[in-house]
Amino acid sequence: MVKAIRIHEAGGPEKLSWDDIEVGDPGEGEVRLKQAAVGLNYIDTYHRSGLYPVPALPAVIGLEGAGVVEAVGPGVSDLKEGDRVAYANPPLGAYAEARLMPAHRLIKMPDSIDDQTAAAMMLQGMTVEYLIRRTFRVEKGQTVLFHAAAGGVGLIACQWLNHLGATVIGTVGSEEKAELAKAHGCHHTVLYRDTDFVAAVKDLTDGKGVPVVYDGVGKDTWDGSLDCLMPRGMMVSFGNASGPVPPTDLGILSQKGSLYVTRPTLMTYTASREDLVESAEALIDVVGSGAVKIEVKQTYPLSEARQAHEDLEGRKTTGSTVFTV
Ligand SMILES: NC(=O)c1ccc[n+]([C@@H]2O[C@H](COP(=O)([O-])OP(=O)(O)OC[C@H]3O[C@@H](n4cnc5c(N)ncnc54)[C@H](OP(=O)(O)O)[C@@H]3O)[C@@H](O)[C@H]2O)c1
């Protein structure tokens, strides 16, 4: 038996239950991981609340972790007991002291990246990788708008965009968050709770707007984000921290200048082993070179997942959050 955080039904943070679970032996193509650190991501709150329904209940939630291989199932040739690995993808089950994982979804971690950093960076870091290099390929000299710039995805994005030579306009919820985003390469911060961010973006771009908006906030920023785009610009709507974007009339995209919209997910962009490895390697490179520093700003014992969810949804966290196991 090991300890795990499960939900027995969808709902608020109080539904997170500290349970004993059986892990069992790894099957064909699987390994059993002893986890050292688990990543907290906004998607965990969607699984908990029911916004993204889980396949079956009760469910151990969580998609990201780092640890050591402690048993290898039949048919696994490229991993052995004692290997340090990390991951960021389904199946759900990361909020646990130990778990089974398909071997082909794991990435070996170099010694230079410790367990907490690995658990903090895989999901948010590979997300930034695909968003700024593949969903829309940001070029040197471009100015982009990134919402929630002081968050987990946001701080990594500010640094990586800066590394690519882009100018970053970032929205933030407080003065403290503005300072933090600036310290991580965000050139212009906009306090979007008090300021009209559309007007601010227009000011900063001489009225032209930006070629791409990265929006993980969703409902509250959707309309304004479209107004920040230049003609034929791309709206990358990649999350729902304030709630899902309501159904939208496509005619709005023509009225606002032949805009493009995409709603990408990390799961699609790392679906093949080749894409997963390339994305992880690009991330490990920028972290290894020091271009991107992974900021673990909060840690909680896994048993205190409820508090962590309350803080994340209460906009109290900055940077990345990790559960210690
Ligand atoms: N599609 C994908 O592949 C993918 C992958 C990873 C993450 N995501 C999405 O990316 C976004 C950021 O994820 P994260 O894990 O790094 O979280 P995060 O940015 O650390 O936390 C969310 C932030 O959103 C902002 N926010 C604005 N309105 C909010 C509201 N009403 N309630 C709560 N927060 C609000 C807050 O920052 P301020 O106080 O500064 O406004 C908050 O700190 C999420 O939407 C997540 O679902 C998508």
PDB file of all heavy atoms in Angstrom, residues 168-182:
ATOM      1  N   VAL A 168       8.428  40.780 -24.782  1.00  0.00           N
ATOM      2  CA  VAL A 168       7.285  40.170 -24.115  1.00  0.00           C
ATOM      3  C   VAL A 168       6.467  41.224 -23.377  1.00  0.00           C
ATOM      4  O   VAL A 168       6.990  41.978 -22.560  1.00  0.00           O
ATOM      5  CB  VAL A 168       7.746  39.105 -23.083  1.00  0.00           C
ATOM      6  CG1 VAL A 168       6.539  38.360 -22.513  1.00  0.00           C
ATOM      7  CG2 VAL A 168       8.748  38.149 -23.694  1.00  0.00           C
ATOM      8  N   ILE A 169       5.161  41.250 -23.699  1.00  0.00           N
ATOM      9  CA  ILE A 169       4.205  42.003 -22.888  1.00  0.00           C
ATOM     10  C   ILE A 169       3.479  40.949 -22.051  1.00  0.00           C
ATOM     11  O   ILE A 169       2.933  39.986 -22.595  1.00  0.00           O
ATOM     12  CB  ILE A 169       3.181  42.760 -23.754  1.00  0.00           C
ATOM     13  CG1 ILE A 169       3.878  43.693 -24.758  1.00  0.00           C
ATOM     14  CG2 ILE A 169       2.211  43.543 -22.874  1.00  0.00           C
ATOM     15  CD1 ILE A 169       2.918  44.361 -25.762  1.00  0.00           C
ATOM     16  N   GLY A 170       3.512  41.104 -20.732  1.00  0.00           N
ATOM     17  CA  GLY A 170       2.883  40.104 -19.869  1.00  0.00           C
ATOM     18  C   GLY A 170       1.840  40.733 -18.978  1.00  0.00           C
ATOM     19  O   GLY A 170       2.070  41.796 -18.396  1.00  0.00           O
ATOM     20  N   THR A 171       0.668  40.071 -18.862  1.00  0.00           N
ATOM     21  CA  THR A 171      -0.326  40.539 -17.902  1.00  0.00           C
ATOM     22  C   THR A 171      -0.088  39.844 -16.566  1.00  0.00           C
ATOM     23  O   THR A 171       0.349  38.690 -16.522  1.00  0.00           O
ATOM     24  CB  THR A 171      -1.764  40.262 -18.383  1.00  0.00           C
ATOM     25  OG1 THR A 171      -1.897  38.859 -18.641  1.00  0.00           O
ATOM     26  CG2 THR A 171      -2.085  41.055 -19.626  1.00  0.00           C
ATOM     27  N   VAL A 172      -0.373  40.557 -15.479  1.00  0.00           N
ATOM     28  CA  VAL A 172      -0.138  40.037 -14.129  1.00  0.00           C
ATOM     29  C   VAL A 172      -1.201  40.578 -13.186  1.00  0.00           C
ATOM     30  O   VAL A 172      -1.742  41.661 -13.407  1.00  0.00           O
ATOM     31  CB  VAL A 172       1.252  40.467 -13.593  1.00  0.00           C
ATOM     32  CG1 VAL A 172       2.370  39.701 -14.261  1.00  0.00           C
ATOM     33  CG2 VAL A 172       1.467  41.955 -13.747  1.00  0.00           C
ATOM     34  N   GLY A 173      -1.431  39.840 -12.080  1.00  0.00           N
ATOM     35  CA  GLY A 173      -2.501  40.198 -11.150  1.00  0.00           C
ATOM     36  C   GLY A 173      -2.103  41.126 -10.031  1.00  0.00           C
ATOM     37  O   GLY A 173      -2.974  41.577  -9.286  1.00  0.00           O
ATOM     38  N   SER A 174      -0.822  41.423  -9.871  1.00  0.00           N
ATOM     39  CA  SER A 174      -0.407  42.310  -8.771  1.00  0.00           C
ATOM     40  C   SER A 174       0.955  42.924  -9.065  1.00  0.00           C
ATOM     41  O   SER A 174       1.687  42.446  -9.950  1.00  0.00           O
ATOM     42  CB  SER A 174      -0.321  41.525  -7.456  1.00  0.00           C
ATOM     43  OG  SER A 174       0.755  40.606  -7.512  1.00  0.00           O
ATOM     44  N   GLU A 175       1.299  43.955  -8.287  1.00  0.00           N
ATOM     45  CA  GLU A 175       2.617  44.611  -8.412  1.00  0.00           C
ATOM     46  C   GLU A 175       3.744  43.612  -8.168  1.00  0.00           C
ATOM     47  O   GLU A 175       4.759  43.625  -8.850  1.00  0.00           O
ATOM     48  CB  GLU A 175       2.752  45.764  -7.409  1.00  0.00           C
ATOM     49  CG  GLU A 175       1.944  46.994  -7.740  1.00  0.00           C
ATOM     50  CD  GLU A 175       2.484  47.774  -8.942  1.00  0.00           C
ATOM     51  OE1 GLU A 175       3.511  47.365  -9.518  1.00  0.00           O
ATOM     52  OE2 GLU A 175       1.831  48.772  -9.316  1.00  0.00           O
ATOM     53  N   GLU A 176       3.568  42.748  -7.145  1.00  0.00           N
ATOM     54  CA  GLU A 176       4.614  41.765  -6.824  1.00  0.00           C
ATOM     55  C   GLU A 176       4.823  40.830  -8.008  1.00  0.00           C
ATOM     56  O   GLU A 176       5.948  40.487  -8.363  1.00  0.00           O
ATOM     57  CB  GLU A 176       4.242  40.924  -5.588  1.00  0.00           C
ATOM     58  CG  GLU A 176       4.105  41.690  -4.279  1.00  0.00           C
ATOM     59  CD  GLU A 176       2.861  42.573  -4.217  1.00  0.00           C
ATOM     60  OE1 GLU A 176       1.814  42.194  -4.789  1.00  0.00           O
ATOM     61  OE2 GLU A 176       2.936  43.670  -3.632  1.00  0.00           O
ATOM     62  N   LYS A 177       3.725  40.415  -8.615  1.00  0.00           N
ATOM     63  CA  LYS A 177       3.835  39.532  -9.769  1.00  0.00           C
ATOM     64  C   LYS A 177       4.502  40.264 -10.939  1.00  0.00           C
ATOM     65  O   LYS A 177       5.251  39.668 -11.706  1.00  0.00           O
ATOM     66  CB  LYS A 177       2.457  38.991 -10.166  1.00  0.00           C
ATOM     67  CG  LYS A 177       1.898  37.997  -9.156  1.00  0.00           C
ATOM     68  CD  LYS A 177       0.568  37.403  -9.617  1.00  0.00           C
ATOM     69  CE  LYS A 177       0.032  36.411  -8.589  1.00  0.00           C
ATOM     70  NZ  LYS A 177      -1.155  35.680  -9.069  1.00  0.00           N
ATOM     71  N   ALA A 178       4.222  41.571 -11.065  1.00  0.00           N
ATOM     72  CA  ALA A 178       4.860  42.351 -12.137  1.00  0.00           C
ATOM     73  C   ALA A 178       6.372  42.356 -11.953  1.00  0.00           C
ATOM     74  O   ALA A 178       7.132  42.143 -12.912  1.00  0.00           O
ATOM     75  CB  ALA A 178       4.318  43.782 -12.129  1.00  0.00           C
ATOM     76  N   GLU A 179       6.830  42.555 -10.717  1.00  0.00           N
ATOM     77  CA  GLU A 179       8.275  42.566 -10.445  1.00  0.00           C
ATOM     78  C   GLU A 179       8.886  41.220 -10.784  1.00  0.00           C
ATOM     79  O   GLU A 179       9.965  41.134 -11.378  1.00  0.00           O
ATOM     80  CB  GLU A 179       8.537  42.902  -8.962  1.00  0.00           C
ATOM     81  CG  GLU A 179       8.253  44.343  -8.596  1.00  0.00           C
ATOM     82  CD  GLU A 179       8.864  45.337  -9.592  1.00  0.00           C
ATOM     83  OE1 GLU A 179      10.065  45.200  -9.896  1.00  0.00           O
ATOM     84  OE2 GLU A 179       8.146  46.229 -10.086  1.00  0.00           O
ATOM     85  N   LEU A 180       8.193  40.162 -10.397  1.00  0.00           N
ATOM     86  CA  LEU A 180       8.704  38.810 -10.645  1.00  0.00           C
ATOM     87  C   LEU A 180       8.798  38.533 -12.156  1.00  0.00           C
ATOM     88  O   LEU A 180       9.807  38.013 -12.654  1.00  0.00           O
ATOM     89  CB  LEU A 180       7.771  37.794  -9.971  1.00  0.00           C
ATOM     90  CG  LEU A 180       8.227  36.354  -9.992  1.00  0.00           C
ATOM     91  CD1 LEU A 180       9.486  36.162  -9.137  1.00  0.00           C
ATOM     92  CD2 LEU A 180       7.113  35.435  -9.464  1.00  0.00           C
ATOM     93  N   ALA A 181       7.749  38.882 -12.884  1.00  0.00           N
ATOM     94  CA  ALA A 181       7.760  38.654 -14.339  1.00  0.00           C
ATOM     95  C   ALA A 181       8.898  39.451 -14.983  1.00  0.00           C
ATOM     96  O   ALA A 181       9.638  38.929 -15.833  1.00  0.00           O
ATOM     97  CB  ALA A 181       6.413  39.049 -14.944  1.00  0.00           C
ATOM     98  N   LYS A 182       9.073  40.705 -14.557  1.00  0.00           N
ATOM     99  CA  LYS A 182      10.152  41.541 -15.127  1.00  0.00           C
ATOM    100  C   LYS A 182      11.515  40.920 -14.861  1.00  0.00           C
ATOM    101  O   LYS A 182      12.392  40.932 -15.727  1.00  0.00           O
ATOM    102  CB  LYS A 182      10.102  42.945 -14.524  1.00  0.00           C
ATOM    103  CG  LYS A 182       9.094  43.841 -15.199  1.00  0.00           C
ATOM    104  CD  LYS A 182       9.208  45.267 -14.650  1.00  0.00           C
ATOM    105  CE  LYS A 182       7.994  46.076 -15.050  1.00  0.00           C
ATOM    106  NZ  LYS A 182       7.576  47.022 -14.023  1.00  0.00           N
TER     107      LYS A 182
END
